[in-house]
Amino acid sequence: MPITKFVMPEVIFGKDSLEQAGEACVRIGAKKALIVSDSGVAGSGWLEKVIQSCREAQLSFSAFIDVTTNPKDSEVEAGCRTFIDQECDAIIGVGGGSALDVAKGIAILATNGGRIRDYEGVDKIHSPLPPMVMVMTTAGSGSEVSQFSVIVDSEREKKMTIISKTLVPDIAIIDPQTLMTKEADLTAMTGMDVLTHAIEAYVSIAATPLTDVQAKNALTLVSRYLRPSVASRTNQEAKEAMAMASLQAGLAFSNAILGAAHAISHAIGGKHLLPHGEINAILLPYVMEYNLIAAPRRFAEMAELMGVDTRGRTQREGGNAAIQFVRELSADIGTPRRLGDVGITREMIRWIASTALEDACMITNPRDMSMAQITQLLENSL
Amino acid sequence: MQTEKDNLIEMLTGIKSSKKNYYTELKKTVEQLEKKNMQLEIMNDITKTIKIDMNLEEIVTYVMEKLRLLMAFDDCRLYLLQKGDPVLVQVYPTSTANTEYRIKNADSSLFWSALTEKKVMQEQISTETTMFAEEDWLISQELLSILVMPLYSINEGIGVLTFGRKEQSGWTTEELEFLEQLTNHVAIILENSQLYNAVLQGKQEWEDTFKAVDDMIMVFDKNLEVFKFNDSAREFLDIYHSSSFYSSLGQTCKAIVQETFNSNTAGFQEIHSKNHVIYEMHTYPVLDNDQQVYGVIAYFKDVTKKRQMEVQLLHSGKLAAIGEMAAGIAHELNSPLTAILGNSQLLIRNTPETDRDYILLNDIKNCGNRCKQIIKSLLTFSRQDEYLFTSYSVNECVRQVLNLLTFQLEKNRISISLSLQQDLPLLDGSQPQIEQVIINLLLNAKDAVEMAKTSHKCISIQTSLEEDCIHVAVEDNGIGIEEARLPLVFHPFHTTKDMEKGTGLGLSVSLGIAKAHGGTIKVISSQGKGSTFILKLPLPDSGKNEVTR
């Protein structure tokens, strides 16, 4: 067995864990924290709780809440200026994937300098980052535990994937309560994102037994609880399960990396600024179909984890059942089914395909992909 | 392709990459800070410990010892430019001091280039090719890497500091940065020290000059107190400070100093002190930066001798005039005298010895001869070449003088006893001057015996050879001199005689002549019994008493 490595932050999970944010930040040496968030979170009241916890911990802070969906490099640079001007020495990210990715980006620039595009790719960060506490309020991106940060290069209209162990936050706080304020469609989209993370990590060629455990458990939880979670904002059991699923899927993909669905999703998201979860939800079944022959046994195992009765079926049949399950789930919770539904046209395919091929996530996809194959896949999903 | 993919996967999963640790980085920073701190400490230490008056060796040894704590080197040398030449000033450790290397003034010299280009130079020694002039020497010292730091002030190279290591190892940026700071610092210190010494030396020179002046210099403050003075003034103050004489002198001086303070211009006054010393006092105001007088320099020049000389000059001018007149008269007298002598001889020849007139004629002839003798002596005395030093006989001097004075003395019923030691050696000197001295002594003796109311007036003249001196003693049985007045008799203008009779210069001029001949005049006297003046003249070869002219 080759050497494997599993990197993760200190994880604080549970109801009201949000209130520990300030104390956690002080614990890792912060004197003044920059709180990075978006206006949505600010309006929900969760940000207020984090700020309250900072006051209680007697931690000075400054706030940067100008984060948008599919965050751009300019936002990171503005945040970094605040960080430096306010003489902060730690970062608290509060929100969904966007806020947390921007928080990471600010951390990179704060100690490494330069522009965010300098760090695109794998392991380009040369200096350690300021202490980071990530408070996840949406469940989905897994950014609170992952070594990923995805930022849009506004000049090139491209989502830059920055991957580095240095990006793994010091402390991750997941408070399932926060999920109760999410709208149903957001719950659905982020839920599909979690599912994509779990599946791509599970079939990744960099998967290890440790990531498998996380991926499988996340898969089980999503299959069981995504529907009820979308159905009811107040289903506490479902919210807690989805929060755990998001966390575990995050741990899995952070260490096992992703696959073609994410590679393509990054390409589309950068150009057209569409919600990440939505695109993943559309692409996932098509990518699964394409990858099926690369790992039929794993796909069959997935079907079992999803609760599909696979007895007497071949691995391929099991795998197809898993794909079918994903399609049905997507239909049930109402996420878009085809790229054409979200405005992607045939003319865009070539650019999307070539960009996706260069994405770091493509490396761990179980089945090799050519330009022709990816174009075919995209055409199928139109 | 496959390996590249594997590689990427290993990077993605972290097998080949890890989270950069903040703590590790912090620790590194702290370590660097600690090192920086130590450097600063050393720098601080150097500034604190090095005093401006420390000498160069002390400074450099101190710096090198401190440096040793911070970085490794096996050899450290300091060269400083002296008159355009780099000179080895210090070697550390001192055990290698015997292997001096002289920097060559050439482009190939690493040391020279560092100095002239003001650039840090470093080299590793490779045995293959000779790259620079110092290589052979370094190899002989087993030094394999060398660093040369230039020392410069403002824009000029003042020297180099070299560091040698016995291994081939480079110098880190950090070490170089520190050394650069240090050498800048050392350069400033060295420059300060050199400037300080230059200023000190300049000050010393002025002080020495101030001290060397023979005349008294005093500096007065606003309260008219002396706050600075030179050595001559110190002696004067030591001797006279408590005497009343000083206070009276002080009053006069202070008045002038005060005037200088008030007027802000230089002042001058001649001061006659009670001890017969004459000073010329010059005062100069000393101004501060605001052109305000804050002190007065008083310069006292002892002009007693000068004045004396001036009077002597005047006197000898007079004497010369008298001499000339006397010579003229003598010449004039010669012709009638020749007629008198010639005629008297003619008459004698034709007069039998039995004739009543024979004795009278003979008397005329004898007196004529005597006149001729007197005239001859007068002419000799007043001769123009009188100040040439020649060999002369003291006894002859006495005889010549007596030729001139015997008549005068005998006329005053003064008996003269003469005791001249025969075979006295000849002396070098001016015969007329010595004659003048003897004349002075005889005339003084004559006055002394005349004032005494004794019946038997007597003056004795005695010449003798005593050790390496010839003594001419003139003794009289006159009134003598009071004891208190004895030290004063040689002072110029000191006289007991009437205005028309004496100038008070005789003895002072005589003493001057005696001294010019390397001799002196001694006086022994007791009041009412008489005096003896002894003119002592050294023999020509008596060495130490060389004749001063």
Side-chain angles (χ1 to χ4, degrees):
Chain A
M1 190 173 141
I3 298 170
T4 65
K5 199 167 186 173
F6 191 89
V7 185
M8 64 177 285
E10 172 180 329
V11 175
I12 305 173
F13 185 96
K15 189 167 166 287
D16 296 330
S17 59
L18 203 73
E19 290 160 16
Q20 293 195 14
E23 186 271 330
C25 201
V26 170
R27 191 147 45 82
I28 50 177
K31 292 258 186 284
K32 183 172 183 182
L34 179 70
I35 300 173
V36 181
S37 190
D38 59 59
S39 48
V41 179
S44 69
W46 302 122
L47 183 62
E48 193 52 50
K49 280 206 163 185
V50 171
I51 286 171
Q52 185 57 36
S53 79
C54 290
R55 290 209 179 95
E56 277 165 18
Q58 292 180 325
L59 172 68
S60 305
F61 60 89
S62 192
F64 178 78
I65 55 166
D66 303 329
V67 180
T68 59
T69 317
N70 288 316
K72 284 166 282 300
D73 45 8
S74 55
E75 293 165 35
V76 174
E77 279 158 23
C80 181
R81 276 195 293 279
T82 310
F83 183 90
I84 289 163
D85 291 347
Q86 296 293 321
E87 298 179 335
C88 300
D89 59 0
I91 289 179
I92 304 178
V94 186
S98 302
L100 303 195
D101 281 356
V102 169
K104 287 178 179 180
I106 292 170
I108 295 171
L109 293 191
T111 54
N112 288 262
R115 303 198 49 192
I116 199 71
R117 66 164 63 161
D118 301 339
Y119 307 99
E120 185 185 2
V122 183
D123 209 25
K124 297 281 168 55
I125 297 169
H126 49 79
S127 293
L129 307 185
M132 288 184 282
V133 174
M134 295 300 175
V135 182
M136 170 50 77
T137 61
T138 57
S141 73
S143 190
E144 72 277 15
V145 293
S146 79
Q147 58 164 331
F148 283 65
S149 174
V150 182
I151 306 285
V152 175
D153 183 335
S154 39
E155 260 172 59
R156 292 182 290 158
E157 298 183 321
K158 179 173 181 268
K159 267 194 176 177
M160 297 178 286
T161 311
I162 303 161
I163 306 174
S164 168
K165 291 283 173 281
T166 306
L167 280 179
V168 176
D170 298 283
I171 296 175
I173 296 175
I174 299 111
D175 188 341
Q177 279 185 109
T178 58
L179 306 188
M180 293 186 179
T181 54
K182 273 163 68 174
E183 300 296 334
D185 55 343
L186 185 60
T187 305
M189 272 189 306
T190 52
M192 284 306 285
D193 196 17
V194 172
L195 184 65
T196 316
H197 289 158
I199 292 172
E200 291 216 286
Y202 190 59
V203 296
S204 160
I205 56 174
T208 69
L210 265 175
T211 61
D212 287 349
V213 170
Q214 309 291 339
K216 280 155 96 173
N217 204 44
L219 197 57
T220 311
L221 287 172
V222 173
S223 308
R224 203 172 296 168
Y225 289 103
L226 182 52
R227 285 185 181 93
S229 181
V230 171
S232 165
R233 276 171 63 167
T234 51
N235 184 339
Q236 202 171 322
E237 189 193 353
K239 298 297 176 195
E240 269 185 26
M242 281 311 295
M244 182 54 79
S246 166
L247 167 64
Q248 290 181 333
L251 289 173
F253 89 79
S254 176
N255 289 283
I257 321 300
L258 297 157
H262 270 83
I264 299 166
S265 170
H266 289 154
I268 296 172
K271 187 98 173 167
H272 306 288
L273 305 181
L274 297 168
H276 176 64
E278 213 169 73
I279 303 163
N280 278 344
I282 297 167
L283 289 170
L284 183 59
Y286 296 99
V287 172
M288 284 171 83
E289 277 171 351
Y290 177 77
N291 283 342
L292 183 56
I293 59 161
R297 190 176 58 80
R298 291 215 158 213
F299 278 99
E301 279 165 9
M302 275 184 222
E304 257 176 70
L305 294 167
M306 289 165 176
V308 178
D309 188 2
T310 56
R311 277 172 297 179
R313 298 199 197 183
T314 61
Q315 282 181 353
R316 192 190 168 89
E317 284 166 350
N320 277 324
I323 295 164
Q324 188 54 36
F325 179 88
V326 170
R327 286 212 160 96
E328 281 167 13
L329 176 61
S330 181
D332 286 352
I333 62 173
T335 54
R337 307 292 302 279
R338 309 199 70 87
L339 284 176
D341 298 347
V342 292
I344 303 298
T345 58
R346 194 167 295 276
E347 293 73 47
M348 301 170 183
I349 286 176
R350 200 176 161 72
W351 186 89
I352 293 168
S354 62
T355 309
L357 278 176
E358 287 165 23
D359 197 281
C361 294
M362 199 59 101
I363 295 162
T364 47
N365 195 60
R367 183 175 170 188
D368 295 340
M369 227 172 187
S370 67
M371 187 66 189
Q373 286 162 328
I374 193 169
T375 309
Q376 184 61 51
L377 187 148
L378 283 166
E379 278 172 359
N380 291 345
S381 60
L382 265 179
Chain B
M1 190 61 200
Q2 193 57 35
T3 47
E4 196 188 324
K5 191 172 178 178
D6 288 346
N7 207 22
L8 264 171
I9 291 171
E10 282 180 348
M11 270 165 78
L12 281 167
T13 54
I15 290 159
K16 280 200 178 165
S17 70
S18 283
K19 181 171 177 176
K20 302 277 185 304
N21 198 315
Y22 203 64
Y23 176 70
T24 319
E25 192 77 1
L26 205 69
K27 224 170 144 184
K28 264 191 230 160
T29 315
V30 168
E31 271 168 19
Q32 276 172 356
L33 278 176
E34 274 173 357
K35 205 157 184 188
K36 265 263 148 56
N37 246 347
M38 192 165 165
Q39 292 178 347
L40 280 176
E41 239 170 62
I42 286 179
M43 203 85 93
N44 190 26
D45 227 20
I46 287 170
T47 350
K48 237 176 24 193
T49 316
I50 292 177
K51 304 282 188 309
I52 198 158
D53 52 353
M54 263 170 101
N55 71 33
L56 201 66
E57 276 87 328
E58 281 176 315
I59 295 172
V60 177
T61 311
Y62 185 81
V63 171
M64 288 174 180
E65 268 168 14
K66 283 279 168 191
L67 260 184
R68 221 40 218 268
L69 300 175
L70 210 65
M71 59 182 71
F73 59 85
D74 298 299
D75 180 275
C76 178
R77 276 151 206 264
L78 173 69
Y79 290 86
L80 286 182
L81 268 189
Q82 287 174 8
K83 290 174 191 153
D85 251 345
V87 175
L88 180 64
V89 176
Q90 190 85 348
V91 179
Y92 188 90
T94 40
S95 57
T96 56
N98 54 346
T99 59
E100 186 178 336
Y101 170 74
R102 276 190 65 82
I103 298 180
K104 290 181 192 73
N105 178 348
D107 288 343
S108 63
S109 162
L110 208 61
F111 291 12
W112 185 254
S113 306
L115 182 65
T116 51
E117 289 166 33
K118 297 190 285 279
K119 226 170 81 186
V120 178
M121 297 284 192
Q122 56 169 322
E123 283 293 342
Q124 310 285 322
I125 308 299
S126 60
T127 45
E128 291 148 28
T129 47
T130 304
M131 301 291 289
F132 53 96
E134 283 83 10
E135 221 161 18
D136 289 340
W137 172 75
L138 287 172
I139 289 167
S140 76
Q141 294 301 300
E142 298 171 4
L143 297 174
L144 292 181
S145 62
I146 182 83
L147 175 72
V148 189
M149 307 288 303
L151 295 169
Y152 48 90
S153 65
I154 313 168
N155 267 321
E156 234 172 301
I158 60 169
V160 290
L161 196 59
T162 72
F163 297 91
R165 279 179 179 166
K166 292 198 170 176
E167 67 211 40
Q168 280 192 332
S169 63
W171 306 77
T172 63
T173 334
E174 201 182 293
E175 281 174 330
L176 289 177
E177 262 172 27
F178 173 65
L179 280 177
E180 219 159 317
Q181 283 176 2
L182 184 86
T183 45
N184 285 344
H185 213 74
V186 169
I188 291 169
I189 289 171
L190 290 180
E191 210 191 4
N192 281 348
S193 148
Q194 278 172 352
L195 282 176
Y196 174 80
N197 284 328
V199 170
L200 200 70
Q201 199 184 339
K203 186 171 174 272
Q204 189 64 45
E205 277 168 12
W206 275 113
E207 265 174 22
D208 288 348
T209 312
F210 185 67
K211 276 186 191 162
V213 174
D214 247 352
D215 301 312
M216 295 191 289
I217 300 174
M218 300 181 199
V219 185
F220 289 84
D221 62 14
K222 274 212 146 124
N223 302 322
L224 307 184
E225 295 294 333
V226 177
F227 75 94
K228 259 189 210 169
F229 43 81
N230 66 350
D231 289 355
S232 304
R234 183 199 309 280
E235 275 172 43
F236 177 83
L237 293 173
D238 283 350
I239 297 169
Y240 295 109
H241 197 272
S242 50
S243 68
S244 61
F245 151 68
Y246 173 78
S247 67
S248 73
L249 180 68
Q251 288 308 317
T252 324
C253 291
K254 283 181 177 177
I256 304 162
V257 171
Q258 184 63 58
E259 206 183 299
T260 305
F261 263 117
N262 296 342
S263 65
N264 193 4
T265 51
F268 169 77
Q269 180 144 359
E270 189 168 297
I271 298 172
H272 291 258
S273 79
K274 280 183 183 166
N275 59 346
H276 298 277
V277 180
I278 306 164
Y279 292 107
E280 273 181 359
M281 179 182 176
H282 294 265
T283 54
Y284 305 92
V286 190
L287 305 180
D288 61 17
N289 288 337
D290 302 329
Q291 301 300 307
Q292 294 296 310
V293 189
Y294 76 91
V296 166
I297 296 174
Y299 179 92
F300 297 87
K301 192 169 178 62
D302 182 346
V303 292
T304 318
K305 286 226 174 79
K306 191 179 152 204
R307 290 279 173 278
Q308 204 172 325
M309 214 105 87
E310 282 168 6
V311 171
Q312 276 183 18
L313 218 65
L314 202 69
H315 187 63
S316 30
K318 268 185 202 166
L319 285 179
I322 292 168
E324 244 170 81
M325 273 158 63
I329 292 166
H331 269 294
E332 291 298 314
L333 285 177
N334 248 344
S335 308
L337 200 57
T338 312
I340 291 168
L341 271 171
N343 289 340
S344 62
Q345 273 167 357
L346 274 176
L347 284 173
I348 286 170
R349 210 176 298 159
N350 299 327
T351 308
E353 286 182 29
T354 51
D355 196 298
R356 192 171 60 96
D357 293 334
Y358 185 83
I359 296 164
L360 292 174
L361 287 170
N362 231 5
D363 204 24
I364 292 171
K365 190 197 87 178
N366 284 343
C367 284
N369 275 332
R370 205 170 120 72
C371 284
K372 200 174 179 176
Q373 200 62 45
I374 290 166
I375 287 164
K376 195 181 160 202
S377 295
L378 252 178
L379 280 172
T380 316
F381 182 66
S382 61
R383 250 192 357 238
Q384 289 305 306
D385 57 352
E386 58 187 343
Y387 297 119
L388 279 179
F389 270 53
T390 52
S391 284
Y392 68 95
S393 151
V394 171
N395 286 344
E396 181 56 29
C397 286
V398 174
R399 278 189 212 102
Q400 286 285 349
V401 168
L402 285 176
N403 272 340
L404 290 171
L405 295 181
T406 308
F407 179 73
Q408 248 193 79
L409 297 172
E410 282 177 350
K411 190 187 84 185
N412 287 296
R413 295 158 196 265
I414 299 166
S415 67
I416 296 170
S417 78
L418 201 58
S419 159
L420 303 180
Q421 184 176 332
Q422 296 306 303
D423 309 323
L424 284 179
L426 293 179
L427 294 179
D428 275 343
S430 162
Q431 184 170 345
Q433 282 193 345
I434 298 300
E435 283 173 12
Q436 193 190 337
V437 174
I438 297 169
I439 288 170
N440 277 333
L441 296 180
L442 272 174
L443 290 176
N444 279 348
K446 174 188 144 250
D447 291 340
V449 291
E450 275 184 352
M451 277 192 270
K453 305 283 186 273
T454 51
S455 50
H456 180 68
K457 300 169 185 171
C458 181
I459 296 173
S460 77
I461 304 169
Q462 191 184 351
T463 59
S464 60
L465 181 63
E466 308 279 341
E467 289 176 21
D468 50 2
C469 274
I470 288 176
H471 286 194
V472 181
V474 177
E475 189 179 356
D476 65 69
N477 60 349
I479 52 168
I481 305 162
E482 314 156 32
E483 208 177 325
R485 236 163 25 85
L486 264 181
L488 300 178
V489 294
F490 291 105
H491 277 292
F493 314 111
H494 177 86
T495 183
T496 54
K497 298 171 189 176
D498 298 338
M499 252 334 218
E500 61 273 24
K501 276 192 85 178
T503 58
L505 281 173
L507 273 175
S508 109
V509 171
S510 297
L511 183 63
I513 292 169
K515 282 185 174 165
H517 283 75
T520 185
I521 298 173
K522 285 272 170 310
V523 57
I524 306 158
S525 181
S526 61
Q527 200 175 1
K529 288 186 177 166
S531 312
T532 306
F533 282 83
I534 305 162
L535 169 65
K536 296 182 179 182
L537 293 164
L539 294 178
D541 289 324
S542 58
K544 58 188 171 187
N545 291 326
E546 197 91 338
V547 177
T548 52
R549 286 160 205 199

